[in-house]
Amino acid sequence: MKEQHKAQPQVLIVGAGPAGLALAIELGHRGIPCMLIERNDRVGYAPRAKTTNVRTREHMRRWGIAETLRAASPLGLDYPSNIVFCTRLSGPRLTSIENAMYCAPGKNPLYSEHAQWIPQYSVEEVMRAHVQVLPSVDLRFNCELELFEQGVSGVVALVKDLATDSSFEVSCQYLVGADGARSTVRAAIGARMVGTYGLSRNYNVVFRAPGLDKAHRHGPAIMYWQINGEVPSLIGPMDRGDKWFFMPTQLSEGQKLTAEEAPALIRKATGFADQEIEVLSTDEWVASRLIADKYSDRRVFLIGDACHLHPPFGGYGMNMGVADGVDLGWKIAAALQGWGGQALIDSYERERRPVHDFVMDEAVANHAVLGNQLWQEGLEDSTEAGEQMRRAVGARIGVAKMREFNTLGVVLGYRYDDSPVIVPDGTEAPANDFLNYVPSARPGALAPHAWLHDGSSLYDHFGQGFTLLVTCDAEHAALQRAQDEAEAAQVPLKVLQPNERVLKQLYGARYTLIRPDQHVAWRADEWPASGETLLKQVTGQG
């Protein structure tokens, strides 16, 4: 390979969207030298994701940027995260869902951070600013991956600097493709996307509409579903400056929506024929359910949209990509720092694939009930029959769309049941439930959250490595042995004894071993006779 110069980070990340940024932050917080390259400048791109869910914001709390993201909310934190279903913005209301996605500020016992309705480009700005203050992360825009070769102990990649039209060589130990739906890295490792392509064709239009928020009578909301026979669609405020999004759903094959045509369609959909509209962008997208047949090849990995694609209904996509970056990030760091084995690295796909399948099924189920399916002839009639129909459709929506907007069971309830680095405790796995989240300290589950009596979150006290949570009296000798065995294995371990009675009830055991990503690795009433064996298993060294 010819090169202008050489760079030698330990990890090369291709793609600086939310998944790549999350991975870079996880590595950067652990002092792992990494390079993050992005072929674009990531500025001014129309967002598809607008929901940063409670789990992603909990990661941001752990990274120290949750407050920064909160302050970046363009509509304000107290803006209600309601979903209104109406025939048109100018027409009658059918029903509404309050506090969708759990965006309401305030302390909830089930989680440490509420969700947030915020454009993806604003989320990226906050994450990118944080990445740029991490000394071990080298972020480079206008750079694209040309090719790479794998060896026994590393990867050599050729990267093109688009600004200078020159190339440079990068020698690293791991390469991660966070490069989206058309992933170059995925193609290079021979992974294929399998599933169903083309569930529907849709457009995302971003536009400016002065006074539109006051023109209708439905009150503030983050999204309005317009259910009519002409232009079934979603519309809602997106940012300051009267900036809105508009999404006509399930367009017919071959139907296009240009910037010139969009204003007339928006006026027809809303019923406001004289509304001033300035189109800022139009973006066609196809809803599919696709997942990669493999997530890695030796030292090369895929995260985010590079390995899974699904309809956006439920707001899972960006958040799943962030969680991918978290899971892979701490595991790569552990391997590079000498306390994580190959089985820990291999557990990335074993853990994340079942979660992806579970969440993708939910997204597809949500996609199956859009305004196109909810519309009935006569729904807009100004008659008693029309009013009765609107009440009936409103009741149907309340049942059908709960699955999309009240989803804490999906967001917090996923588990790593079949992971080789999780130690089962013999308890029965609860059934998957999209709606109800019941905290469980069963190994593989997310560690149950609690607010402590000093006002802090239990999560605030977990260590950056493993945490041994002690929920009731424990022998000093046992705790000392656990610390000695962790030190001998070079596994970072923090012993945490909060002395809060609620934790014994929540965790159901004296000892719970919690991973860096806040999932439970093991629990029991006694520290095992061979703690070294336990630590080797949960770190993939066994």
Side-chain angles (χ1 to χ4, degrees):
M1 293 183 181
K2 295 181 180 179
E3 78 277 356
Q4 182 183 25
H5 61 278
K6 281 189 178 182
Q8 293 184 312
Q10 289 185 294
V11 182
L12 175 63
I13 306 167
V14 183
L21 288 166
L23 176 59
I25 292 172
E26 282 295 323
L27 296 171
H29 274 242
R30 291 167 170 77
I32 302 297
C34 59
M35 178 182 291
L36 177 59
I37 63 171
E38 169 60 51
R39 73 181 314 275
N40 301 306
D41 56 15
R42 301 299 299 188
V43 175
Y45 289 87
R48 294 179 183 173
K50 303 171 191 72
T51 304
T52 303
N53 70 23
V54 298
R55 188 67 192 124
T56 296
R57 281 189 45 82
E58 286 183 328
H59 290 309
M60 292 186 172
R61 182 185 183 105
R62 184 166 53 84
W63 297 332
I65 59 175
E67 287 296 329
T68 307
L69 188 71
R70 189 176 284 114
S73 181
L75 303 179
L77 278 186
D78 293 326
Y79 187 89
S81 64
N82 299 336
I83 310 294
V84 170
F85 295 82
C86 53
T87 59
R88 304 171 195 264
L89 274 186
S90 63
R93 177 183 297 219
L94 303 171
T95 191
S96 62
I97 295 174
E98 296 184 356
N99 190 28
M101 314 293 189
Y102 309 90
C103 293
K107 287 188 173 181
N108 186 302
L110 296 176
Y111 48 78
S112 63
E113 288 288 337
H114 60 83
Q116 192 171 343
W117 180 261
I118 182 170
Q120 180 175 318
Y121 56 74
S122 297
V123 177
E124 289 186 16
E125 286 172 7
V126 170
M127 295 177 74
R128 186 166 58 243
H130 188 58
V131 158
Q132 290 174 318
V133 301
L134 298 175
S136 66
V137 181
D138 180 7
L139 173 58
R140 302 193 187 191
F141 291 107
N142 297 306
C143 289
E144 68 178 4
L145 178 70
E146 292 190 296
L147 53 93
F148 62 84
E149 295 175 354
Q150 291 199 65
V152 175
S153 59
V155 182
V156 178
L158 192 64
V159 176
K160 184 173 184 178
D161 186 328
L162 300 174
T164 62
D165 196 28
S166 61
S167 299
F168 60 94
E169 188 178 287
V170 178
S171 296
C172 56
Q173 290 179 262
Y174 296 99
L175 186 151
V176 180
D179 49 343
R182 298 177 178 85
S183 172
T184 299
V185 177
R186 183 179 68 232
I189 66 171
R192 297 182 306 107
M193 295 295 266
V194 296
T196 304
Y197 175 81
L199 295 171
S200 68
R201 289 180 59 256
N202 314 268
Y203 268 86
N204 190 45
V205 181
V206 178
F207 65 101
R208 187 170 286 114
L212 182 56
D213 60 330
K214 297 179 177 61
H216 65 84
R217 59 175 185 250
H218 297 295
I222 55 175
M223 189 187 302
Y224 304 85
W225 283 56
Q226 302 185 116
I227 300 170
N228 57 67
E230 291 185 301
V231 192
S233 53
L234 283 62
I235 193 169
M238 197 180 76
D239 207 337
R240 302 175 184 90
D242 296 305
K243 188 182 289 187
W244 288 63
F245 70 90
F246 171 68
M247 184 190 299
T249 52
Q250 296 187 337
L251 299 179
S252 59
E253 189 63 36
Q255 185 178 351
K256 297 292 183 181
L257 183 57
T258 66
E260 291 73 27
E261 296 167 331
L265 195 65
I266 294 170
R267 293 186 186 106
K268 179 185 290 187
T270 61
F272 293 121
D274 299 323
Q275 175 64 48
E276 179 186 346
I277 292 172
E278 177 192 359
V279 173
L280 304 176
S281 66
T282 63
D283 179 24
E284 182 181 6
W285 59 275
V286 176
S288 302
R289 190 205 189 279
L290 297 169
I291 191 165
D293 59 357
K294 63 178 180 179
Y295 289 11
S296 64
D297 174 25
R298 292 167 289 169
R299 291 178 170 269
V300 179
F301 296 85
L302 304 173
I303 63 174
D305 287 355
C307 60
H308 49 80
L309 292 166
H310 59 83
F313 300 97
Y316 301 123
M318 181 195 77
N319 296 286
M320 276 213 300
V322 169
D324 293 346
V326 169
D327 188 90
L328 184 60
W330 77 265
K331 292 172 179 177
I332 285 179
L336 291 172
Q337 291 169 342
W339 56 273
Q342 186 59 44
L344 186 65
I345 296 287
D346 293 342
S347 73
Y348 162 65
E349 182 171 348
R350 286 276 296 275
E351 291 186 351
R352 294 302 295 165
R353 180 181 289 276
V355 175
H356 295 155
D357 275 323
F358 171 42
V359 172
M360 291 167 73
D361 286 345
E362 289 297 314
V364 171
N366 294 335
H367 175 268
V369 185
L370 301 179
N372 309 66
Q373 288 75 41
L374 294 167
W375 159 255
Q376 295 180 25
E377 192 67 43
L379 192 64
E380 295 189 273
D381 289 355
S382 299
T383 62
E384 179 59 30
E387 179 58 31
Q388 289 180 357
M389 183 180 291
R390 287 190 285 274
R391 286 196 295 268
V393 170
R396 180 188 169 199
I397 290 169
V399 174
K401 301 312 287 183
M402 181 186 298
R403 188 166 196 153
E404 182 168 343
F405 299 113
N406 294 289
T407 59
L408 210 58
V410 178
V411 173
L412 298 180
Y414 65 84
R415 306 179 308 274
Y416 299 140
D417 289 336
D418 192 35
S419 172
V421 292
I422 296 292
V423 183
D425 66 356
T427 57
E428 186 177 350
N432 289 334
D433 187 332
F434 72 87
L435 177 63
N436 296 298
Y437 168 61
V438 179
S440 169
R442 184 177 183 272
L446 178 66
H449 177 261
W451 293 105
L452 305 187
H453 283 84
D454 63 2
S456 65
S457 164
L458 173 65
Y459 290 176
D460 296 341
H461 301 276
F462 290 170
Q464 186 161 280
F466 278 79
T467 299
L468 182 61
L469 177 65
V470 184
T471 60
C472 55
D473 292 341
E475 294 182 1
H476 175 75
L479 295 181
Q480 187 61 56
R481 186 160 54 83
Q483 290 173 303
D484 291 345
E485 288 169 331
E487 185 176 352
Q490 297 184 311
V491 175
L493 179 70
K494 177 180 181 179
V495 175
L496 179 62
Q497 295 177 274
N499 192 27
E500 304 251 355
R501 272 187 291 180
V502 69
L503 297 181
K504 179 62 185 295
Q505 181 180 353
L506 275 174
Y507 281 81
R510 175 180 283 113
Y511 299 112
T512 305
L513 190 62
I514 300 166
R515 311 189 322 178
D517 60 358
Q518 301 173 343
H519 280 259
V520 174
W522 165 91
R523 69 171 173 174
D525 282 324
E526 301 296 334
W527 184 254
S530 177
E532 181 182 358
T533 300
L534 168 64
L535 291 168
K536 283 185 175 181
Q537 180 172 347
V538 298
T539 58
Q541 301 179 76

